[in-house]
Amino acid sequence: MVSPEFSHPHSSSPMAKPRNRSFWCLSDGFLVFGSVFLALLLVGSFWSFFTPTPNFESHIIHPSSKLKSSMDCSDSGFGVNLKSDPKDPTFYDDPDMSYSIEKSVKDWDEKRQEWLKHHPSFAAGARERIVLVTGSQPKPCKNPTGDHLLLRFFKNKVDYCRIHGYDIFYNNLLLHQKMGSFWAKLPVVKATMLAHPEAEWIWWVDSDALFTDMEYMLPLERYKNHNLVVHGWPKLIYDSKSWTSLNAGVFLIRNCQWSMDLIKTWSSMGPISKDIEKWGQIQRSTFKDKLFPDSDDQSALIYLLYTEKEKYYDHIYLEGEFYLEGYWVEIIGGYENTTEKYLEIERGAPKLRRRHAEKVSEQYAAFREEFLKEAGNGRGSWRRPLITHFTGCQPCSGDHNQMYGGESCWKGMVKALNFADNQVLRKYGFMHPDLYDSSTVTEVPFDYPVDEGPW
């Protein structure tokens, strides 16, 4: 604290009277002593910095300090503590707990809640936490360009997850040897639910589906009273009894006991069942437009909705308002028009074409929504489709559906991948000038007037 006499304004005045000699001698003595003391203090400070003083009270921990330590999230950068796993027993310590698709999980909601109680840093935001799951076959692709295409499809999903802060799991093994092909997703989804109790939603996306709106965020509030979200139409299920009334290649499933039970029932119509052939016959007789006799995951889910509507319908949201997954044939021809429409919006809204960090992309997605009210959704819309799904193209095997040529598949995939990639590259200052040419990029111009400013 500074002494009043040294802080008073008149002490520095040129009109102040000189002090007497004895006072200055005394001050000089104190000055020398003070200098020595300050030097010793500095030496001590440096010594204590390089040689920390032992903490003799380290065994005394205040309860609030312990809580603060357990909630310390500074290491992860994502608001959660990734370095703490308390010794309290959880479902992971139960020897009867199994990840296998053939064994049931009981009381899953309670077990999840117990785990979250022991990991409190994950509690905040748990209701909106998503893990995206995808995968492919364990062997190299037969199609010469298949592995490259799958790599780009995977990169696309990684880009989307990075932008929105989602975790992603890519699986390329059969977690159950009998559950191959389209059935392979169910064992992976169940295992992911157990591996990620911190996540409320598991989002399955087929390997041949890609995000073509990198900004769009799922309207989770819309699904708050549902446990499964899938692209589909009730009329096609209950009036037309069509096996294409929904698409099971992309779905969002809540991490809860209801979902565990659904997966068990759903899987029971697949290859692990001794009645697999019978289920194929039942599905074929129920859905007259089903083209092949084998039981498949999509027909099985539709069958459950059709035959047990009271049990399942209220828990399943059939999303038809936007392209949760969209059939590529009706989508890829509109990419150029969509690009021009979005550029037109940005030319009139400087804040949308402002350069910005990738981490704040969601804010600009919210800005853009006010300009997309007239864009519509689904077929005929010029809004970017959330997901373009290349059903029937089979990029790995090359055994595409005979109703369209393979060349249209491969060109369509390249076009869609570059259309999506441009939305990502733009944050890094570049873009593909030609959607059919993946190897060429140009620098994005800094195109809003300086005097107009970013807002």
Side-chain angles (χ1 to χ4, degrees):
M1 181 176 178
V2 180
S3 169
E5 69 172 328
F6 290 125
S7 64
H8 201 279
H10 77 261
S11 63
S12 59
S13 169
M15 300 297 293
K17 295 181 180 179
R19 294 182 174 89
N20 59 44
R21 180 67 185 170
S22 61
F23 179 86
W24 284 110
C25 290
L26 185 63
S27 299
D28 290 344
F30 274 103
L31 182 63
V32 173
F33 176 79
S35 299
V36 173
F37 178 77
L38 179 61
L40 291 172
L41 183 62
L42 288 172
V43 170
S45 298
F46 280 112
W47 180 258
S48 64
F49 178 79
F50 291 108
T51 310
T53 304
N55 183 6
F56 295 107
E57 297 182 349
S58 60
H59 63 284
I60 302 176
I61 302 176
H62 193 275
S64 62
S65 299
K66 184 177 181 181
L67 178 62
K68 183 178 179 181
S69 175
S70 67
M71 293 288 286
D72 185 7
C73 307
S74 59
D75 290 333
S76 74
F78 295 100
V80 294
N81 189 346
L82 301 178
K83 296 183 178 180
S84 173
D85 190 19
K87 295 181 180 180
D88 308 80
T90 67
F91 66 91
Y92 287 116
D93 301 293
D94 181 357
D96 295 325
M97 195 274 287
S98 174
Y99 296 84
S100 172
I101 193 72
E102 295 183 286
K103 295 184 179 180
S104 299
V105 174
K106 300 296 184 183
D107 303 317
W108 178 233
D109 295 336
E110 291 77 12
K111 290 173 180 175
R112 270 195 72 211
Q113 287 304 313
E114 184 71 14
W115 188 91
L116 285 169
K117 185 178 75 174
H118 296 308
H119 299 79
S121 71
F122 288 94
R127 298 290 293 177
E128 296 186 351
R129 192 169 290 120
I130 294 174
V131 174
L132 190 143
V133 185
T134 186
S136 60
Q137 76 302 316
K139 296 181 180 179
C141 292
K142 183 176 69 174
N143 179 16
T145 62
D147 288 310
H148 174 71
L149 287 170
L150 288 183
L151 175 63
R152 290 203 64 190
F153 273 88
F154 178 49
K155 174 197 175 296
N156 166 268
K157 296 177 178 72
V158 170
D159 285 338
Y160 183 86
C161 289
R162 184 183 65 253
I163 289 169
H164 296 283
Y166 299 156
D167 285 333
I168 184 169
F169 174 53
Y170 191 99
N171 176 66
N172 65 341
L173 294 170
L174 292 179
L175 298 190
H176 192 291
Q177 292 304 306
K178 290 184 178 181
M179 298 286 277
S181 187
F182 34 70
W183 288 103
K185 69 187 73 166
L186 296 183
V188 181
V189 168
K190 179 194 173 179
T192 304
M193 291 167 70
L194 291 169
H196 286 273
E198 83 287 355
E200 182 71 9
W201 295 99
I202 308 301
W203 192 359
W204 172 266
V205 181
D206 274 357
S207 62
D208 60 354
L210 72 145
F211 290 92
T212 40
D213 189 341
M214 306 305 286
E215 291 180 338
Y216 190 83
M217 296 169 284
L218 286 172
L220 293 180
E221 181 64 21
R222 186 187 301 179
Y223 313 137
K224 63 182 179 181
N225 297 321
H226 299 83
N227 296 327
L228 178 68
V229 183
V230 62
H231 200 205
W233 304 268
K235 286 187 177 181
L236 291 181
I237 296 175
Y238 299 105
D239 296 342
S240 304
K241 291 193 290 186
S242 171
W243 84 286
T244 60
S245 54
L246 60 78
N247 190 297
V250 177
F251 61 83
L252 191 69
I253 189 166
R254 193 182 296 277
N255 195 355
C256 66
Q257 184 63 50
W258 182 93
S259 301
M260 287 286 187
D261 296 338
L262 171 68
I263 289 175
K264 183 172 179 60
T265 302
W266 193 358
S267 301
S268 69
M269 287 184 268
I272 59 174
S273 171
K274 65 181 188 311
D275 297 321
I276 178 67
E277 293 185 7
K278 178 183 175 182
W279 279 118
Q281 294 169 4
I282 292 173
Q283 293 168 14
R284 189 80 180 274
S285 63
T286 305
F287 310 116
K288 302 300 183 182
D289 60 345
K290 181 173 165 61
L291 301 176
F292 51 93
D294 298 335
S295 175
D296 67 279
D297 65 315
Q298 182 167 297
S299 297
L301 181 58
I302 300 170
Y303 183 80
L304 288 175
L305 269 168
Y306 179 73
T307 58
E308 299 187 63
K309 183 178 180 179
E310 296 78 10
K311 182 177 181 180
Y312 291 107
Y313 186 75
D314 289 342
H315 299 280
I316 298 176
Y317 194 102
L318 295 172
E319 180 61 83
E321 295 184 37
F322 68 94
Y323 279 123
L324 180 62
E325 67 82 40
Y327 183 38
W328 66 277
V329 173
E330 67 183 46
I331 288 177
I332 61 172
Y335 287 155
E336 289 85 357
N337 181 53
T338 294
T339 298
E340 183 53 41
K341 289 283 190 179
Y342 275 61
L343 288 175
E344 183 181 334
I345 290 172
E346 291 176 8
R347 282 191 284 268
K351 66 182 180 181
L352 283 175
R353 66 179 186 272
R354 181 193 185 198
R355 293 182 179 183
H356 59 269
E358 186 179 69
K359 285 293 185 184
V360 295
S361 295
E362 287 189 348
Q363 177 182 352
Y364 291 84
F367 287 160
R368 197 184 303 278
E369 279 302 309
E370 64 181 279
F371 299 97
L372 296 175
K373 294 176 182 177
E374 304 302 321
N377 282 287
R379 184 176 296 189
S381 168
W382 52 264
R383 179 191 284 267
R384 292 170 182 160
L386 174 60
I387 291 178
T388 302
H389 194 181
F390 283 85
T391 54
C393 278
Q394 302 294 327
C396 190
S397 69
D399 299 328
H400 59 84
N401 192 311
Q402 296 304 309
M403 66 184 291
Y404 35 75
E407 192 68 17
S408 63
C409 273
W410 318 138
K411 287 185 176 181
M413 284 186 274
V414 169
K415 184 178 183 181
L417 286 163
N418 289 336
F419 175 75
D421 210 25
N422 272 349
Q423 298 168 44
V424 178
L425 284 174
R426 180 175 175 177
K427 308 298 189 300
Y428 296 81
F430 294 87
M431 65 176 291
H432 297 290
D434 182 353
L435 294 183
Y436 289 103
D437 183 2
S438 302
S439 61
T440 305
V441 294
T442 56
E443 189 171 358
V444 177
F446 191 66
D447 63 349
Y448 65 79
V450 175
D451 58 348
E452 183 179 322
W455 304 103

